[in-house]
Structure formats: structure tokens, C-alpha cells
Amino acid sequence: MTTAIGYVRVSTKGQGESGLGMEAQRAAVETHAKREGMTLAMVYVEVESGKRADRPELAKAISHCRRSKGTLVVAKLDRLARNVAFLSALMESKVPFLACDNPHANRLTLHILAAVAEAEAVAISQRTKAALQAYKARGGKLGAELSQCQNLTEEARQRGARHAAVARAKAAGEAYADLAPMMQGWRTEGLTLQQIGDRLNTEGHTTRRGKPWNPVQVARVLERCEAE
């Protein structure tokens, strides 16, 4: 009786945690093995993009097949790979494998199907990028912008703005920790904001963004010192 080693893959962590798509793949592998009179020894589960070749669970499944002289069984060819070069390397490994959606496919058919799957993956990626670019060009918001604008309440947005302001102030305070005492001393001596800025520039000091000092920036640092 032939030993079957199952391999199922989903592309995202969310799908892996929810079981979305995974149970259907497992059921297809189990049904095929039972119908063909194969002993299903193990089903390896991978949560990884089909574009990547470094898949540890697939490597384990292949090693298991070699040890047991078994057959690698996947529910669908595109769950195994959407990359012709990867599929070719797998075929060269001499590990027999089959896809439940096309169990009688020969090596040429598998290469063609893999090429079609790879081309479709590229086309999907290109269509998605083009759609997102067009959406953004129309003023649409993506990612963090979308969540901030649509999913957050006004209170949450204000709280986020306050936290961001505190973080900026802290970063500025840390950036000028060595200069602030000198600036306060010069101000106490009667130097104007412009004179303090000129002195900082003469001594080779810049702002944390690499810009020359001006009276407004000097005033902000002194205001933060007084607030503390």
C-alpha cells in the first residue's frame, strides 16, 4: 500500500489561525488518499506565501516522502507552488507528488499548469497595484490612513494626537539635552533668540534635522525647558 504524505498551505497567518481554506485542502487530500487506497501517514501544514521557496513544512514533507518512499499529495497544484523554477527543482528531487485537482497530469502538464499559475499570480499582483494606485490618485486612503479616518472615533483620534505630541516632545528633549542648559544660560545672560541661534550655528550645532538654528527653533527648545 502506497504511503501518502499530505501538504496543505495557506498564504496568511489569519487564514492559518481561522482554518479558512485549510480544512478544505485537508479534506481533499484525505478523500483522495482513501479513494486510491493510500495510507495517509502525515499532513504537513504551512502558513506561507506561494512565492517563497524556503518553506520549512514543505521541506519536512519532502524528507518524510524520501524516508518512507511515499508520495507527496496536495489538494491543488497552486498550493504547492506558483513558480516554475521551484516546481522544476521539486520534480528533479525525484519525490513523486500529485495534485488532487489533476491527479493524472504528467510532467509536461504540471510544468504548463505551474507556468499558468505563475503568470496568473503576476497578473493579480499587477492588477492589485494598479487598482491601489488609481484609488490613491483619486484621494483614497490606504492602510494606517484608512484606519485612522474610518475606524477610529473622534476621542481615539484626539488621544492618538496627544500621544504623538508627547512622543515628539520627548524626542526633541532627548535630542537637545546637552544644548538646553547652555541655551537657558545664554538667555539668562540677556542674549536674544537670534543671538542664541547665531551662537549655536557658529559653534557648529544644528537642529536634529540637520538645519541651521533660527529664533523660532530656539524659542521652542526654551519653552519645553520651562514646561518641564
Side-chain angles (χ1 to χ4, degrees), residues 133-147:
Q133 289 174 353
Y135 173 71
K136 196 167 184 178
R138 294 195 302 269
K141 298 183 181 299
L142 303 172
E145 293 178 330
L146 183 62
S147 64

Side-chain angles (χ1 to χ4, degrees), residues 32-216:
H32 181 83
K34 184 177 180 179
R35 183 174 61 247
E36 299 299 321
M38 306 170 75
T39 300
L40 185 59
M42 178 77 72
V43 176
Y44 291 85
V45 178
E46 191 101 69
V47 181
E48 185 56 84
S49 168
K51 297 179 181 179
R52 294 190 57 174
D54 53 335
R55 283 180 264 163
E57 294 304 311
L58 179 57
K60 293 177 184 177
I62 292 174
S63 295
H64 195 157
C65 286
R66 284 174 173 155
R67 289 194 309 271
S68 62
K69 294 182 173 51
T71 298
L72 184 66
V73 180
V74 298
K76 296 178 63 179
L77 180 63
D78 64 3
R79 294 296 88 190
L80 187 60
R82 289 183 178 177
N83 181 285
V84 175
F86 175 77
L87 184 60
S88 296
L90 177 62
M91 295 173 71
E92 290 300 320
S93 72
K94 307 303 181 182
V95 170
F97 68 91
L98 60 85
C100 297
D101 60 338
N102 201 330
H104 302 297
N106 57 31
R107 292 171 68 91
L108 174 60
T109 304
L110 290 175
H111 272 293
I112 294 173
L113 292 175
V116 172
E118 182 178 9
E120 179 60 18
V122 172
I124 290 173
S125 176
Q126 292 174 341
R127 288 197 298 268
T128 300
K129 289 179 181 179
L132 289 175
Q133 289 174 353
Y135 173 71
K136 196 167 184 178
R138 294 195 302 269
K141 298 183 181 299
L142 303 172
E145 293 178 330
L146 183 62
S147 64
Q148 289 175 0
C149 295
Q150 297 185 0
N151 298 334
L152 296 181
T153 63
E154 181 61 29
E155 180 182 356
R157 281 193 289 270
Q158 292 178 357
R159 185 166 60 250
R162 289 195 297 271
H163 288 169
V166 170
R168 287 194 298 270
K170 181 180 179 182
E174 293 174 349
Y176 304 131
D178 59 329
L179 297 181
M182 290 191 301
M183 296 167 71
Q184 286 178 304
W186 293 335
R187 188 61 169 165
T188 301
E189 293 173 5
L191 271 66
T192 65
L193 298 178
Q194 182 65 59
Q195 289 173 328
I196 293 175
D198 291 342
R199 187 163 180 175
L200 289 169
N201 292 330
T202 299
E203 294 183 3
H205 299 292
T206 65
T207 68
R208 59 186 175 133
R209 301 187 186 282
K211 303 294 184 180
W213 286 90
N214 61 46
V216 174

